[in-house]
Amino acid sequence: MPPFEIRPAIAGDEVHILRLIQALADYEKLSGEVVATEATLRETLFGSKPVAECQLAQTNGKVVGFALYFYNYSTFLAKPGIYLEDLFVEPEYRGQGIGKALIKSVFIKANQEGCGRVEWSVLNWNEPSIEFYKSLGAKPMDEWTVYRLTGDELARYA
Amino acid sequence: MPPFEIRPAIAGDEVHILRLIQALADYEKLSGEVVATEATLRETLFGSKPVAECQLAQTNGKVVGFALYFYNYSTFLAKPGIYLEDLFVEPEYRGQGIGKALIKSVFIKANQEGCGRVEWSVLNWNEPSIEFYKSLGAKPMDEWTVYRLTGDELARYA
C-alpha cells in the first residue's frame, strides 16, 4: 500500500472537500441534504472569518479522506473543546490506518490547544464506526439526545 | 410577576453565570463535574478570544437565567449554526416565559447571523424540557449518539 500523509487543508482544497462531503453523505444515506458548494466552502473555511478547520489525508497526490472540526465550549469545564463534524475515508482506501491517523491528528490538536474534550456524533446503525471509536477510548453519551431547529421552523423566529 | 429583560452578558457577569452553571449542574445531577471558576469563565467568555456568547435574563436587578451558546458548522450546508450549550432558569422564576424568551433570543441571533440551524442536547429523563423544545418546533436527532473522548483518555494522544 502506498504511504499517506496528513496535512491541514488550505484554500484551493474546497474541490476535494466537497467531493468527500458528498461521498460521506452518500454513505450516511443523506445525500439529499448537501447544499454546500465549492464557493460556500471556500468562504466559510478559508474566508476572512473561518468557522472550522480541516485535516486532509493524501496518498500519491490524491486526497482520500478528511477530518473537519470546530471549537466548542464546556461551561462545566470553562474550557474550549473540539467537535469533530466529519470524518471520512474513501472506501477503497480503508484498512490502512488513514481514518485513525486523521482522528488522532484532531486529538493531538485538542491537546495542543488545551481543550477539555473531543466530541462527535455517530449514526446508531454504523456499527463499524462505533467499534472503532470505542477502541480509541471514546464513550457514548447515550443519556442525551440532540434537538435541532432548522429550515422554516427556525426562520419563523427571525 | 415582575417584568424581566433579556440582555447580552458582559465582563463582570461571570459571578452570575458561575452561580447559574452550578445550579444547572445540580438540576442535571452532575454537580461534581463543574470545575469552572469566575476566573476561567472571564478568560474564555470575555477575554481576548471569546469562545462563546451568553444571554442573561434579569428581573428586579437579579440575574435569574442564562442561555450560553457558540457557533458550530454544518458541512452539508457549508453554513455556521448555533449550538446552545446551556439554557437554565432558576426554579422559582419558572412559568413566566423567561426560558422561552431566552431561547428565542438565540433563535433570533441565528437568523441574524445567517445560521442554518440551532442545536442543543437534552437529558433523556428531562420530560418537561423535551415537551418544551418540541413545542418550539425542534426535532430529536435520535438516530445519532454523541461520543466523547476526555480526561486521561484524551491526554494520552498528546
Side-chain angles (χ1 to χ4, degrees), chain B:
Chain B
M1 282 182 259
F4 62 86
E5 60 159 346
I6 307 295
R7 65 167 178 86
I10 56 172
D13 283 322
E14 54 273 13
V15 54
H16 308 301
I17 297 169
L18 182 58
R19 177 172 52 79
L20 292 168
I21 289 170
Q22 287 167 330
L24 169 61
D26 286 344
Y27 178 72
E28 290 182 337
K29 302 163 190 164
L30 295 171
S31 49
E33 294 189 18
V34 177
V35 298
T37 65
E38 282 182 45
T40 55
L41 286 172
R42 188 164 48 240
E43 170 59 25
T44 50
L45 298 179
F46 308 116
S48 57
K49 204 180 146 193
V51 293
E53 298 179 6
C54 184
Q55 296 281 335
L56 298 179
Q58 190 164 320
T59 181
N60 278 344
K62 181 176 183 329
V63 174
V64 300
F66 79 128
L68 192 143
Y69 60 94
F70 51 79
Y71 293 89
N72 62 13
Y73 183 70
S74 161
T75 46
F76 288 5
L77 304 178
K79 265 192 183 182
I82 281 181
Y83 187 86
L84 177 63
E85 176 72 11
D86 284 343
L87 176 70
F88 184 72
V89 176
E90 289 191 63
E92 58 269 41
Y93 292 91
R94 291 184 191 165
Q96 305 176 39
I98 295 177
K100 193 166 186 175
L102 278 167
I103 200 168
K104 274 190 178 176
S105 77
V106 176
F107 296 161
I108 290 167
K109 182 83 177 176
N111 280 293
Q112 285 168 346
E113 301 288 329
C115 293
R117 60 200 193 191
V118 180
E119 295 167 310
W120 60 95
S121 296
V122 189
L123 280 161
N124 295 331
W125 54 255
N126 193 349
E127 285 294 341
S129 291
I130 289 169
E131 287 313 304
F132 170 58
Y133 295 138
K134 286 183 174 170
S135 77
L136 298 173
K139 301 283 184 297
M141 306 292 291
D142 39 24
E143 69 274 39
W144 297 84
T145 298
V146 171
Y147 280 71
R148 177 182 288 175
L149 189 73
T150 189
D152 291 344
E153 300 284 344
L154 176 58
R156 70 193 165 91
Y157 295 99

Side-chain angles (χ1 to χ4, degrees), chain A residues 44 75 86 119-120 124 145 147, chain B residues 75 86 120 124 145 147-148:
Chain A
T44 49
T75 45
D86 284 344
E119 295 168 310
W120 59 94
N124 295 329
T145 299
Y147 279 71
Chain B
T75 46
D86 284 343
W120 60 95
N124 295 331
T145 298
Y147 280 71
R148 177 182 288 175

Side-chain angles (χ1 to χ4, degrees), chain A residues 71-92:
Chain A
Y71 293 90
N72 62 13
Y73 183 69
S74 161
T75 45
F76 288 6
L77 304 177
K79 264 192 184 182
I82 280 181
Y83 186 86
L84 177 63
E85 176 72 10
D86 284 344
L87 176 70
F88 184 72
V89 176
E90 288 191 62
E92 59 269 41

Side-chain angles (χ1 to χ4, degrees), chain A residues 1-2 29-31 59 66 75 105 140 145 150:
Chain A
M1 280 181 262
K29 302 162 190 166
L30 295 171
S31 48
T59 179
F66 78 127
T75 45
S105 77
T145 299
T150 189

